């Protein structure tokens, strides 16, 4: 600790505290400056009151006010009309539910509706709710890349345009599709001053530099020409396309639940930030692309670290799945609340099964990862269902599908007749393709069984999740958020951001040579109602 101290006289307030509980209260009083002083009883901390130099207590360090709303990029707050640089990312199948989006929007947070995998009428009902219940408040809707079901992506964009959706979270894209480009460009216009305005905001979730760069640059000229020829954009929009990037925000996704490359955020985020700076230097956009962070953010220390690395905003996913407003079942939420940091594994993804793409899921309490991997092994080994040996077919029907293969195929026919008939046409003369659709039936149903809480298929639950869930559970142990029934998504958001501000303040004091005792440096969540009038918990 630096011994070159400045005498400090304390006027008013409660005076310095030296006991760990008192020091913690001062550090958590984020709306007011914090002063670390040397007292006759030892090192203490104080906030509030009025200070001045003179024959008083020696000042060791000071930290400015740091409310949670100060974290991240002010440009992100302004662009999206939110009060916090925090976003709840989409979780497919409506797990990121309409209730979740509405609750967070009312508290000044951005949330993305989990539209992926839902039928258009279901998405439409959610969009109608947003228009009625949160008019004028910000929200996003997930647009997931569907290379094997192109129709779904096209229809999703058409639905978003009809409902006037102003922001989409684009995920799982490896290349730009005509549909995401169409959404972006149909929002282009010039304002009265002549400046280019894009009314359709895109937040692109990426985990590779090459994908990030595609979204950082203007739309490819070839795709713009195709859309113009099809009269899906106007000549003016085609002309303006060269002046704006494809995305307003790039979410850098490290090791996470669902689709993930499992790259460490600490390596990936700086790389994408440098790439953004290089692209900005080349294009000179009036508003630079913002870069946020996602993946593994399950406790305040992780969130604070993301901001410290330069993230404009943070995105959470797994931790929201266990919340009250989540579309997951009570049974699944109980499994999630019991997960540790190592209770996750990779398994084949339903939407990109034939390509061998995997996603991260919960391992504890379910056999899904093992069974899904077995299906992919069979798909690689045999040319079709008819080629399966009798013993393999019997195990498949009895242990995994728990239904005759022909019954599963008939369900596939009914499903794709309604959703995407082209899938059936492609499988008509391809036994391998037919096998893939049957196996995708299991993968798709496994997520549905988890969502609805089917008690007969608990061992087949597919729960998209990552290590952030284990970190969150560890952090909230012995707090009111330990029980899933208390996990309101807004409470989780507020405490993660407040805790991140608290941890950032600690880091500032450490740089000044102050070492805070561990007992005073641990931010634990307390009910927001209980702390509403307490300055120590205000954010």
């Amino acid at each position: 600790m630096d011994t070159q101290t400045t005498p400090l006289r304390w006027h008013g307030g409660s005076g310095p505290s030296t006991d760990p509980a008192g020091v913690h209260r001062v550090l958590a009083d984020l709306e007011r400056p914090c002063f670390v002083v040397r007292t006759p009883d030892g090192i203490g901390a104080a906030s509030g009151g009025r200070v001045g130099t003179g024959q008083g207590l020696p000042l060791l360090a000071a930290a400015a006010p740091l409310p949670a709303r100060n974290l991240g990029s002010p440009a992100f707050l302004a662009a999206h009309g939110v009060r916090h640089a925090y976003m709840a990312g989409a979780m497919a199948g409506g797990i990121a539910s309409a209730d979740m989006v509405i609750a967070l929007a009312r508290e000044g947070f951005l949330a993305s509706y989990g539209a992926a995998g839902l039928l258009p009428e279901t998405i439409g009902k959610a969009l109608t709710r947003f228009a009625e219940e949160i008019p004028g408040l910000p929200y996003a809707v997930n647009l997931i890349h569907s290379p094997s079901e192109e129709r779904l992506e096209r229809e999703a964009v058409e639905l978003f345009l009809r409902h006037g959706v102003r922001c989409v979270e684009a995920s799982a894209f490896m290349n730009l599709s005509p549909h995401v480009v169409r959404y972006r460009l149909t929002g282009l216009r010039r304002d009265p001053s002549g400046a280019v305005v894009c009314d359709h905001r895109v937040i692109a979730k990426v985990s590779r530099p090459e994908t990030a760069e595609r979204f950082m640059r203007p739309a490819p000229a070839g795709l713009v020409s195709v859309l113009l020829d099809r009269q899906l954009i106007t000549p003016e929009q085609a002309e303006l396309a060269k002046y704006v990037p494809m995305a307003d925000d790039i979410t850098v996704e490290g090791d996470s639940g669902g689709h993930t490359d499992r790259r460490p955020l600490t390596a990936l985020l700086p790389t994408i930030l440098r790439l953004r700076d290089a692209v900005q230097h080349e294009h000179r956009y009036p508003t630079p692309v913002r870069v946020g962070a996602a993946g593994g953010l399950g406790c305040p220390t992780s969130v604070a670290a993301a901001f410290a690395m330069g993230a404009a905003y943070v995105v959470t996913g797994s931790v929201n799945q266990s919340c009250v407003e989540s579309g997951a079942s009570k049974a699944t939420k109980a499994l999630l609340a019991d997960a540790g940091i190592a209770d996750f594994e990779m398994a084949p993804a339903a939407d990109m099964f034939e390509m061998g793409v995997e996603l991260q899921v919960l391992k504890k309490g379910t056999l899904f990862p093992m069974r899904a991997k077995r299906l992919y092994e069979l798909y690689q080994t045999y040319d079709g269902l008819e080629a399966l040996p009798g013993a393999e077919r019997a195990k498949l029907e009895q242990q995994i599908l728990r239904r005759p293969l022909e019954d599963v195929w008939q369900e596939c026919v009914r499903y794709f007749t309604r959703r995407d008939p082209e899938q059936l046409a492609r499988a008509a003369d391809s036994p391998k393709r037919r096998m893939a659709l049957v196996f995708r039936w299991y993968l798709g149903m496994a997520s549905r069984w988890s969502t609805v809480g089917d008690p007969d298929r608990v061992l087949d639950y597919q729960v998209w999740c990552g290590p952030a869930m284990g970190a969150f559970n560890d952090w909230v142990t012995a707090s009111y958020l330990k029980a899933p029934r208390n996990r309101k998504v807004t409470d989780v958001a507020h405490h993660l951001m407040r805790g991140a501000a608290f941890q950032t303040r600690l880091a500032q004091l450490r740089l000044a040579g102050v070492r805070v005792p561990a007992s005073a440096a641990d931010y634990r969540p307390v009910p927001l109602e209980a702390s509403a009038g307490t300055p120590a918990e205000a954010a």
Side-chain angles (χ1 to χ4, degrees):
M1 182 177 296
D2 187 356
T3 58
Q4 299 300 313
T5 60
T6 302
L8 180 76
R9 184 171 295 281
W10 188 262
H11 305 277
S14 58
S17 297
T18 56
D19 65 285
V23 170
H24 182 277
R25 282 194 299 272
V26 169
L27 296 175
D29 187 358
L30 298 167
E31 292 283 347
R32 297 189 287 186
C34 169
F35 303 95
V36 179
V37 296
R38 189 186 303 279
T39 77
D41 299 321
I43 305 302
S47 64
R50 184 167 54 88
V51 298
T53 59
Q55 297 304 310
L57 300 174
L59 173 65
L60 303 178
L66 186 60
R69 61 181 177 272
N70 286 10
L71 297 176
S73 165
F76 180 86
L77 306 185
H80 296 283
V82 294
R83 296 193 297 273
H84 304 277
Y86 177 105
M87 177 180 178
M91 293 173 284
I95 294 173
S97 66
D99 288 341
M100 182 179 293
V101 172
I102 291 169
L104 286 166
R106 288 173 174 167
E107 287 289 311
F109 296 99
L110 183 64
S112 180
Y113 176 61
L118 298 180
L119 293 172
E121 52 263 40
T122 303
I123 302 172
K125 290 178 181 177
L127 298 180
T128 299
R129 280 192 65 190
F130 300 154
E132 294 175 348
E133 298 182 37
I134 50 172
L137 293 181
Y139 69 88
V141 182
N142 184 218
L143 175 65
I144 193 167
H145 185 41
S146 304
S148 62
E149 296 182 76
E150 182 268 347
R151 174 185 170 185
L152 296 181
E153 194 176 327
R154 182 184 72 248
E155 290 182 346
V157 167
E158 290 171 350
L159 183 65
F160 299 163
L161 294 177
R162 286 199 302 273
H163 281 265
V165 172
R166 304 295 293 272
C167 182
V168 302
E169 182 189 32
S171 60
F173 281 83
M174 294 172 285
N175 287 297
L176 297 177
S177 71
H179 312 300
V180 69
V181 174
R182 177 191 176 190
Y183 174 82
R184 178 65 165 171
L185 300 191
T186 51
L188 289 178
R189 60 180 174 85
R190 286 192 184 274
D191 67 14
S193 71
V196 180
V197 176
C198 191
D199 292 323
H200 292 165
R201 296 187 301 277
V202 173
I203 301 172
K205 186 184 293 182
V206 305
S207 56
R208 300 186 180 195
E210 61 269 24
T211 308
E213 186 169 0
R214 293 184 183 106
F215 279 100
M216 290 176 180
R217 295 187 179 278
L223 286 179
V224 175
S225 296
V226 168
L227 293 171
L228 182 60
D229 291 342
R230 295 177 183 174
Q231 298 184 329
L232 296 175
I233 60 174
T234 67
E236 181 186 27
Q237 289 166 344
E239 171 62 21
L240 297 179
K242 68 182 73 171
Y243 300 111
V244 299
M246 267 299 300
D248 303 276
D249 302 278
I250 301 289
T251 300
V252 177
E253 185 176 22
D255 188 11
S256 62
H259 291 286
T260 178
D261 285 329
R262 306 193 80 176
R263 287 185 171 88
L265 187 63
T266 51
L268 187 59
L269 180 59
T271 299
I272 304 299
L273 284 169
R274 284 192 294 270
L275 175 62
R276 186 275 311 275
D277 293 342
V279 173
Q280 174 62 22
H281 180 75
E282 177 182 345
H283 286 275
R284 305 291 183 180
Y285 298 125
T287 302
V289 174
R290 296 173 293 270
V291 178
L297 305 183
C299 65
T301 305
S302 300
V303 174
F307 284 123
M309 285 193 295
Y313 60 97
V314 294
V315 180
T316 58
S318 295
V319 299
N320 301 320
Q321 194 169 186
S322 68
C323 291
V324 174
E325 299 86 353
S326 160
S329 65
K330 288 185 178 180
T332 294
K333 291 174 185 177
L335 290 176
L336 288 165
D338 193 45
I341 199 167
D343 291 331
F344 309 94
E345 191 171 341
M346 300 300 290
D351 55 345
M352 301 182 189
F353 178 78
E354 298 94 321
M355 300 167 64
V357 174
E358 293 187 318
L359 39 69
Q360 190 162 206
V361 296
L362 181 67
K363 176 176 63 175
K364 185 176 182 180
T366 172
L367 296 177
F368 171 79
M370 179 183 70
R371 290 175 172 175
K373 288 178 180 179
R374 181 56 184 158
L375 292 183
Y376 190 68
E377 290 172 358
L378 294 174
Y379 175 76
Q380 289 184 303
T381 304
Y382 301 100
D383 293 328
L385 298 172
E386 296 76 13
L388 290 173
E392 288 288 1
R393 183 185 182 103
K395 285 195 294 185
L396 178 61
E397 293 181 328
Q398 295 169 15
Q399 297 178 11
I400 300 180
L401 303 179
R402 292 170 58 179
R403 298 179 63 177
L405 282 168
E406 187 57 37
D407 287 359
V408 174
W409 172 245
Q410 290 306 315
E411 276 210 24
C412 292
V413 170
R414 289 191 292 271
Y415 176 78
F416 284 111
T417 297
R418 179 186 181 192
R419 177 168 172 151
D420 191 0
E422 183 183 343
Q423 297 290 325
L424 299 175
R426 292 167 57 192
D429 299 318
S430 174
K432 191 84 166 179
R433 179 67 181 164
R434 184 167 171 256
M435 171 188 266
L437 292 182
V438 168
F439 288 173
R440 283 172 57 188
W441 171 89
Y442 171 79
L443 301 179
M445 289 302 296
S447 61
R448 174 170 174 76
W449 293 325
S450 167
T451 301
V452 302
D454 189 333
D456 193 44
R457 302 302 298 250
V458 173
L459 293 181
D460 294 292
Y461 282 7
Q462 178 182 185
V463 184
W464 305 307
C465 200
M469 190 75 254
F472 179 85
N473 289 333
D474 179 68
W475 170 51
V476 301
T477 297
S479 81
Y480 81 109
L481 291 180
K482 174 66 174 176
R485 66 179 180 276
N486 294 332
R487 294 185 180 184
K488 294 181 181 180
V489 69
T490 52
D491 282 30
V492 170
H494 277 299
H495 282 304
L496 284 174
M497 289 294 284
R498 291 178 181 185
F502 179 88
Q503 292 296 333
T504 301
R505 170 169 277 187
L506 288 181
Q508 294 171 343
L509 293 175
R510 290 190 192 103
L511 291 175
V514 174
R515 297 294 179 263
V516 178
S519 56
D522 189 14
Y523 179 94
R524 294 281 177 167
V526 298
L528 294 177
E529 298 83 1
S531 63
T534 305
E537 292 296 337

